[in-house]
Amino acid sequence: MPRRKAEDLRSHRWFGATDLRSFGHRSRMMQMGYAPADWAGKPVIGILNTWSDLNQCHQHFRTRAEEVKRGVWEAGGLPLEIPALAVSEQYMKPTSMLYRNLLAMEVEEIARSQPFDALVLMGGCDKTTPGLIMGALAVDLPSIFLPAGPMLRGYWAGHTLGSGSDAWKYWDELRAGTITEDDWKGVETGIARSWGTCMTMGTASTMMSAVETLGLALPGSSSIPAPDANHARMATAVGRRIVELAWNDERPSRLLTAGSFDNAATVSLALGGSTNAVVHLIAMARRAGIPLDLDRFDALSRTTPLLANIRPSGTYLMEDFYYAGGLRALMARLSDLLDLSQRTVGGATLGEAVAGAKVFNDEVILPRNNPLKPDAGLAVLRGNLAPDGAVIKASAADPKLLCHTGPAVVFRDYNDMAKRIDDPDLPVSADSVLVLQNAGPVGGPGMPEWGMLPLPKKLLRQGVRDVVRISDARMSGTSYGTCVLHVAPESAVGGPLALVEDGDAVTLDVPGRRLSLDVPEAELARRRAAWTAPPAHYVRGFGLLHTREVRQANEGCDYAILEGAADLRMRTPEPEIH
Ligand code: FES
């Protein structure tokens, strides 16, 4: 790619012109202590930092931003750090997913309105990754994603703990009476003991890996544990490299193809990644103007072996994955299933990026002839209960339940479920199918991670540890169980899930890719005619925008007004600013 001249940079209009406006820009840079030598003839790099005191996974980002800046200065750019919505998986209610698209909008407007030639996107905690990438794809400026990296392994009383997964597990044991309150406090103290993202193969690890596979992060960067000194050096390397991308105008649209998204989906599946990746990758692909749908995931899942032995599907954690060789090593083992000609922000093709990568522990990254599962186990289900599709992570389910018919126990919303789930009189057995309504993109709102419905206490005490659960919600990547998710269309907009009543026979047939409500059509028509929408959650503000604009899960839950390919207007050299 030919190197651009300084006058061709977008920032030149702010700093290089000789008019009154650029006088204002330069004088105000000097107000902040910068000298002309700091900006003249240099690309301006926006470092979008999703740090906050309430994003537990990004606590190292203040330091990492400085390390990125060091790299930008070294390479002859001007680094300018900008805060972006620090969507926190733990603290934002009702769900962080409600704010993914708000972060994407913010990235788009930050980049559009200010003098940036290229972006470093600092994220990792669940929705920050897709939010940052969706925004960057919309504006199509040269961009590198800087993954926060996973936290260290959790530890309690001789046990290795995985965030999320072991919280659910020990919570069930506490409710079943098999561990004490003191034990539970010990788990609380040890389950998250460093900065960094969840270290199971949850949404964070899945999406950071997927973005590296897409080619939008430096090769090898997504697997480095957050506290490792290699992570700091990687941040500086990102700073150096983004300056090159700015000079060469290496935009995402010049890197991404349908092959990149197939690669990202394939790697997510081989990792046993979160079902959330399906929603996020579809949304990202649509932003890039590249077709990707549920059926593509089902097809890729059938031919992709599950090679990463990481919780919740397997045994180990992300720290082990890094020591075993990390994502590059896993991709090397999958190379015949990947399009290795895809280019990456590192400058090499994916094939060059993974060449020579070795696996150092075959227990963690399994050989092709001994996979954890011969196929990745993500299935897309359809039927009269999910005409537009639903997904199940079969690799995290009890195999005995993958073909199952049972009577429905219906909860009309989350509060109803929370109130009745442990009622000793709840008519529930190990054969029951738990159904949660009104937990989708509109109904939740924001499609919260409520899809792993808790097991009723009375079943836990009988030793039951899994039952079939169906909802229009999502599920944390750290969750597990026979959970049918993302049912579309959702119940809050009148999807068939809204019509299920207690005692109805529901059939789950994962090998046949079927999800059906065994109720005569005439009876369903009667129920449909009597159905009324639940009360609206919002009458104003962002929530109302969300309710009006959000698409269903099978379309990625983006907003109709935000979809589409890059907005080229932002590169016109006449920004209306003062
Ligand atoms: Fe941040 Fe899990 S809470 S990645």
Side-chain angles (χ1 to χ4, degrees), residues 39-357:
W39 72 74
K42 294 182 173 182
V44 179
I45 308 300
I47 301 170
L48 272 57
N49 190 348
T50 53
W51 173 90
S52 93
D53 269 335
L54 270 178
N55 192 313
Q56 63 295 327
C57 301
H58 296 176
Q59 288 306 293
H60 53 321
F61 269 3
R62 276 183 156 171
T63 314
R64 292 292 178 270
E66 295 305 315
E67 288 148 354
V68 175
K69 287 178 191 174
R70 188 168 78 219
V72 172
W73 286 122
E74 282 173 14
L78 169 62
L80 296 174
E81 183 183 348
I82 294 261
L85 187 67
V87 181
S88 166
E89 192 58 26
Q90 288 295 329
Y91 293 107
M92 294 182 85
K93 309 296 177 196
T95 165
S96 64
M97 181 64 176
L98 189 59
Y99 299 102
R100 181 198 69 176
N101 295 348
L102 185 60
L103 172 59
M105 289 172 82
E106 188 188 15
V107 170
E108 184 171 342
E109 299 311 322
I110 285 173
R112 189 198 314 279
S113 61
Q114 298 181 87
F116 297 127
D117 298 304
L119 305 174
V120 173
L121 310 163
M122 299 179 64
C125 187
D126 279 32
K127 312 308 176 293
T128 57
T129 303
L132 289 164
I133 299 295
M134 288 164 69
L137 296 184
V139 294
D140 200 29
L141 280 181
S143 299
I144 300 181
F145 175 68
L146 192 161
M151 66 174 109
L152 300 176
R153 299 181 196 101
Y155 178 82
W156 162 68
H159 302 278
T160 298
L161 299 178
S163 53
S165 304
D166 279 315
W168 319 127
K169 178 179 145 188
Y170 285 107
W171 176 240
D172 279 350
E173 298 305 332
L174 181 71
R175 292 167 68 230
T178 55
I179 65 167
T180 66
E181 285 288 345
D182 273 355
D183 293 335
W184 179 238
K185 285 203 178 78
V187 173
E188 183 175 300
T189 305
I191 201 164
R193 60 190 185 89
S194 83
W195 53 53
T197 62
C198 289
M199 71 321 230
T200 43
M201 188 47 70
T203 304
S205 299
T206 308
M207 290 311 300
M208 290 188 292
S209 304
V211 168
E212 180 183 326
T213 309
L214 278 175
L216 298 179
L218 291 186
S221 59
S222 67
S223 312
I224 307 171
D228 194 305
N230 286 296
H231 197 273
R233 286 196 291 277
M234 177 271 290
T236 303
V238 167
R240 282 192 293 265
R241 181 65 191 156
I242 192 66
V243 175
E244 282 304 301
L245 295 196
W247 281 124
N248 297 337
D249 200 19
E250 283 267 20
R251 299 176 236 145
S253 61
R254 292 184 172 163
L255 299 174
L256 296 177
T257 68
S260 333
F261 279 95
D262 271 3
N263 286 345
T266 300
V267 164
S268 302
L269 292 162
L271 288 167
S274 164
T275 44
N276 285 327
V278 177
V279 177
H280 298 320
L281 283 171
I282 287 175
M284 288 156 58
R286 290 167 75 107
R287 289 272 179 132
I290 291 171
L292 181 67
D293 61 19
L294 288 180
D295 293 333
R296 190 68 188 140
F297 282 89
D298 193 287
L300 291 169
S301 178
R302 291 172 193 262
T303 55
T304 304
L306 176 47
L307 295 186
N309 187 9
I310 301 174
R311 299 182 203 182
S313 298
T315 303
Y316 295 93
L317 294 169
M318 287 303 290
E319 190 179 343
D320 306 296
F321 183 64
Y322 178 59
Y323 302 146
L327 189 67
R328 288 177 60 248
L330 178 114
M331 286 198 276
R333 287 222 156 143
L334 284 175
S335 54
D336 58 309
L337 300 179
L338 300 176
D339 179 348
L340 298 175
S341 68
Q342 292 299 316
R343 294 174 51 233
T344 77
V345 289
T349 63
L350 192 65
E352 290 161 346
V354 305

